[in-house]
Amino acid sequence: MTINGGISFWYATDRTAPATPPRAPLTGDATADVVIVGGGYTGLWTAYYLKSSAPSLRVTVLEQKFCGYGASGRNGGWLYNGIAGRDRYAALHGREAAQRLQRAMNDTVTEVVDIAAKEGIDADIHRGGVLEIARNPAQLTRLKAFHAAETAFGETDRELYDATAARARIGVADAVGASWSPHGARIHPLKLLKGLAAAAERLGVVIHESTPVTEIAPRRAVTPYGTVRAPYVLRCTEGFTASLKGQKRSWLPMNSSMIVTAPLPPETWERLGWSGREVLGDMAHAYMYAQRTADDRIAIGGRGVPYRFGSRTDNDGRTQPATIEALTALLTSFFPALTGTEITHAWSGVLGVPRDWCASVTLDPATGLGWAGGYVGSGVATANLAARTLRDLVQGDSTDLTGLPWVGHRVRRWEPEPFRWLGVQALYTAYRAADRHEAATHSPATTPLARLADRISGRAH
């Protein structure tokens, strides 16, 4: 029987949970130098870097449930160099500025790996890179364009594979090509999250769990149990931002779902390959993402039901049975030998999507309000870069990070309901239809329906 929900597979199999008591909630009004709203990667990395660079700072983190309840404890475990909005930043600020942002992201993968080693965090990290597969002629056309674009942005160590070489890396059915980047690693997202929280606390960061913030205002974060006042209030809430007062239309909480198989025997891995333990993606419009876990399962994810009316979030990770069926079909489409393999866990979570699909970092010195996010599913590494940037902004330092083009970026709000829901449903209906059309026709050109959907959604720049 598939366990559906339980936050995520990472939580359901967490053997340290009984030994990790919940952190105490806020018990009254308090003060700090910096208050951070959100106990995920962005919030905890920001707290960690602030206390590391300025130990005297009083840093408090407020988390509505428990650290890692959101995307940081549910994601697919891709630590890689992708960042949402790079092409738009190139159009707005010039190609050189966008190249600096990309180089910073390349370096961020190494930064996370190095800090994990420094802090003794065993997060099942394996730096096998990122393999992105094309499975039909239209996907191959996009793959080659993608590879050329990444190379032009300075990733000269990326490799392009034909069908034979692609299948030699990972035995994906119908693979016609692939692009591999060394700037990626497989991780266990919860182990990284828990290790990071512990490292921040060792530095003196105060973390209050079970403390929902209902309102963020200049120099204060309001909760049912008291108000924390601080010169700086940083919003690090990603897909849960819409639950805050006044933020309903800031970032759309996009849903993503995952399944994971039972551990696969050695003879199955002999057929599949995947000895490099690369993280795996594809060039479909409704794309997938996967990893080979440390205990030899395959965890694979995709959109499922992309958005819930009114920017609602899920119920502790539970996903729809139809989504489990769709992801299982996707798994066996990629790996026919896995037909009938047990699916042990399924779950879902939300990620933050700005209206222009651009991640950003902002701090207003006049009000002390700052925020980072809108990672559009690429947040495992991006959160670290955002956190180091927030650190520099709070400290008033002018650095290479504060000069990156995503700093201070503003974007218009999402449309009100029901237009928001109708638009997202139509968008992903179009993308799935485009994927089916491309698979059936074997045309090398991207279907016009997908190009139209990109323009309407704001993904095309």
Side-chain angles (χ1 to χ4, degrees), residues 247-254 307 311 352-358 376 411-417 419-421 423-424 427-428 456-459:
Q247 301 296 332
K248 194 76 169 180
R249 293 165 51 199
S250 294
W251 290 339
L252 185 140
M254 185 76 77
Y307 173 70
S311 293
V353 180
R355 188 61 182 85
D356 65 354
W357 299 68
C358 290
V376 196
V411 62
R412 68 184 175 92
R413 294 157 66 84
W414 282 89
E415 291 78 4
E417 297 291 22
F419 304 107
R420 189 160 71 244
W421 183 87
V424 177
L427 173 67
Y428 276 92
I456 294 173
S457 69
R459 294 174 73 173

Side-chain angles (χ1 to χ4, degrees), residues 196-415:
L196 175 58
E201 287 183 310
R202 286 195 297 272
L203 292 172
V205 172
V206 175
I207 302 174
H208 291 295
E209 296 180 323
S210 300
T211 305
V213 172
T214 56
E215 182 181 359
I216 293 174
R219 297 177 177 81
R220 68 181 186 277
V222 181
T223 84
Y225 314 121
T227 297
V228 181
R229 300 183 184 278
Y232 296 98
V233 182
L234 307 181
R235 189 188 79 216
C236 302
T237 48
E238 190 57 356
F240 290 85
T241 299
S243 64
L244 292 166
K245 183 178 179 181
Q247 301 296 332
K248 194 76 169 180
R249 293 165 51 199
S250 294
W251 290 339
L252 185 140
M254 185 76 77
N255 186 64
S256 197
S257 298
M258 295 196 73
I259 59 171
V260 66
T261 69
L264 303 178
E267 56 268 24
T268 298
W269 289 112
E270 284 291 326
R271 293 198 298 272
L272 299 183
W274 215 336
S275 59
R277 297 181 184 265
E278 307 91 337
V279 294
L280 173 67
D282 74 350
M283 300 305 293
H285 301 291
Y287 52 84
M288 57 75 70
Y289 50 96
Q291 68 150 282
R292 177 179 175 178
T293 67
D295 60 349
D296 286 334
R297 305 168 187 258
I298 293 178
I300 184 170
R303 279 293 172 262
V305 175
Y307 173 70
R308 293 176 172 87
F309 189 89
S311 293
R312 290 182 293 115
T313 54
D314 61 87
N315 181 22
D316 288 347
R318 188 171 180 83
T319 195
Q320 297 80 4
T323 298
I324 300 174
E325 294 175 7
L327 289 174
T328 302
L330 183 66
L331 172 72
T332 56
S333 171
F334 269 69
F335 306 109
L338 299 186
T339 300
T341 297
E342 180 186 5
I343 303 301
T344 63
H345 298 78
W347 70 100
S348 66
V350 293
L351 49 100
V353 180
R355 188 61 182 85
D356 65 354
W357 299 68
C358 290
S360 61
V361 183
T362 297
L363 179 69
D364 180 0
T367 62
L369 294 176
W371 59 87
Y375 304 132
V376 196
S378 299
V380 177
T382 314
N384 177 278
L385 179 61
R388 286 182 284 131
T389 306
L390 279 174
R391 171 202 60 195
D392 293 350
L393 290 170
V394 166
Q395 295 184 156
D397 297 332
S398 179
T399 67
D400 290 343
L401 299 186
T402 62
L404 292 174
W406 69 332
V407 174
H409 179 71
R410 302 289 181 127
V411 62
R412 68 184 175 92
R413 294 157 66 84
W414 282 89
E415 291 78 4

Side-chain angles (χ1 to χ4, degrees), residues 153-164:
F153 270 98
E155 200 175 332
T156 55
D157 45 4
R158 178 176 284 273
E159 298 175 3
L160 184 66
Y161 301 145
D162 62 13
T164 300

Side-chain angles (χ1 to χ4, degrees), residues 16 23 41 44-45 48 115-116 119-123 188-202:
T16 69
R23 296 173 176 89
Y41 288 145
L44 292 174
W45 276 123
Y48 173 85
I115 294 296
E119 296 294 346
I121 301 171
D122 180 5
H188 187 300
L190 181 61
K191 289 182 179 180
L192 177 62
L193 183 285
K194 287 199 163 189
L196 175 58
E201 287 183 310
R202 286 195 297 272

